[in-house]
Amino acid sequence: MAEVAVHSERRGEGIVISDDWPGYSLDLFSYPAHYSGDLDCVIIPHGVIMDRTERLARNIMDELGDHDIVVLCVLKGGYQFCADLVDRIKALSRNSNRTIPMRVHFIRLKSYLNDQSTEDLHILGAEDLSFLAGKAIVGTGKTMKTLLKHVEAFGPKMIKVAGLLVKRVPHSSACVPDYVGFEIPNRFVVGYALDYNEYFRDLNHICVISESGKLKYKI
């Protein structure tokens, strides 16, 4: 899971980034020049993302190392996190007495227009998930509450949700992931495959988009 929203009183187990955290200056990092003026700050550098993802992979190995699992990657925002998480699980599996047989399946959800989440949710690739019966599922992607109901109907042995980002949003009823990377303020972030109208997926760091950036790429 790349990003979910959670009520501010329901804290995950991830690294907490406080509401008053100003982020890092863009001048400290390299980023595509075509996004100059479109970003406010770097909120999570790429290297920190990688280190945290490796820790989540170790947690998954510790808890699910004896299970045959299916990874459900929710596109498009979750693809980079999913790819890096799976790579690290595979690396740990190669160098451990405990291994995880894995399959990866891709599902696409669409729920954002500009910077607003909408009620119009489309699920592609989840029509027939009968192969999940009896398997342990690790879901990675946003808008998981709706998807979980759909997946449960196919009778998996267990379902675990991995989320890189949990966003503190007032009055949210979203599910809290079992494996959390970072808990962040309620700000619209882009980069590391998270987009704003399909832009910024080519940005390695997770950044806060500027108001001018929102206007520039608004549809």
Side-chain angles (χ1 to χ4, degrees), residues 115-158:
D115 61 345
Q116 299 298 314
S117 182
T118 70
E119 297 297 326
D120 189 16
L121 178 65
H122 301 280
I123 304 178
L124 302 176
E127 293 82 5
D128 183 10
L129 298 177
S130 57
F131 62 89
L132 299 180
K135 302 294 184 182
I137 310 302
V138 177
T140 64
K142 63 183 180 181
T143 324
M144 290 301 295
K145 188 174 182 180
T146 299
L147 182 58
L148 285 175
K149 292 181 180 179
H150 185 78
V151 171
E152 287 170 354
F154 293 92
K157 183 178 181 181
M158 71 173 72

Side-chain angles (χ1 to χ4, degrees), residues 65-216:
D66 297 325
H67 295 279
D68 182 357
I69 71 172
V70 176
V71 177
L72 289 182
C73 176
V74 180
L75 301 171
K76 295 180 182 178
Y79 84 83
Q80 191 64 64
F81 173 55
C82 180
D84 289 334
L85 182 65
V86 168
D87 280 348
R88 277 146 185 77
I89 293 174
K90 287 162 58 179
L92 291 171
S93 186
R94 287 194 301 267
N95 297 284
S96 171
N97 292 328
R98 303 181 69 193
T99 61
I100 297 183
M102 279 190 301
R103 287 186 287 168
V104 181
H105 186 76
F106 298 92
I107 293 173
R108 184 177 178 183
L109 303 182
K110 175 76 173 176
S111 64
Y112 270 91
L113 178 63
N114 295 318
D115 61 345
Q116 299 298 314
S117 182
T118 70
E119 297 297 326
D120 189 16
L121 178 65
H122 301 280
I123 304 178
L124 302 176
E127 293 82 5
D128 183 10
L129 298 177
S130 57
F131 62 89
L132 299 180
K135 302 294 184 182
I137 310 302
V138 177
T140 64
K142 63 183 180 181
T143 324
M144 290 301 295
K145 188 174 182 180
T146 299
L147 182 58
L148 285 175
K149 292 181 180 179
H150 185 78
V151 171
E152 287 170 354
F154 293 92
K157 183 178 181 181
M158 71 173 72
I159 301 175
K160 298 286 186 179
V161 178
L164 178 64
L165 304 178
V166 166
K167 185 181 291 185
R168 291 188 296 276
V169 176
H171 313 301
S172 172
S173 60
C175 68
V176 179
D178 301 283
Y179 309 103
V180 179
F182 304 88
E183 182 183 312
I184 66 173
N186 186 19
R187 306 175 72 183
F188 197 87
V189 295
V190 293
Y192 194 65
L194 299 172
D195 76 302
Y196 179 81
N197 294 330
E198 298 301 327
Y199 291 94
F200 301 101
R201 295 196 195 276
D202 55 339
L203 183 64
N204 283 338
H205 313 294
I206 295 178
C207 300
V208 177
I209 188 173
S210 66
E211 291 302 318
S212 59
K214 291 179 183 179
L215 289 174
K216 181 178 178 179

